[in-house]
Amino acid sequence: MPRQGLKSPDPEPAPGGRRVAWLSLLLFLGTFALFARTASHGFIAYDDPGYVTGNRTVQDGLTW
């Protein structure tokens, strides 16, 4: 027997979906505005020679 009436209704947007989208956008823009100036800062290498570039374990790479 063929099934009839199985057409699903159009999904409704979640309640408060627009509010969540606007708050997410506001949070993103606020974070971007706060940290955007750091893009022009140079790299700081206080402890990298001792812990990264001069570390034999790090230079050997990942092993079992």
Side-chain angles (χ1 to χ4, degrees):
M1 171 185 276
R3 295 183 179 187
Q4 296 178 359
L6 291 179
K7 192 176 192 182
S8 61
D10 292 334
E12 294 182 18
R18 284 190 178 203
R19 184 178 345 155
V20 170
W22 281 109
L23 287 174
S24 299
L25 180 63
L26 181 65
L27 180 62
F28 171 78
L29 291 175
T31 304
F32 181 80
L34 185 64
F35 290 102
R37 291 180 31 193
T38 62
S40 63
H41 294 175
F43 185 74
I44 299 174
Y46 289 125
D47 60 356
D48 288 342
Y51 289 107
V52 180
T53 56
N55 188 336
R56 185 71 181 160
T57 305
V58 173
Q59 290 178 353
D60 288 343
L62 298 174
T63 63
W64 288 106

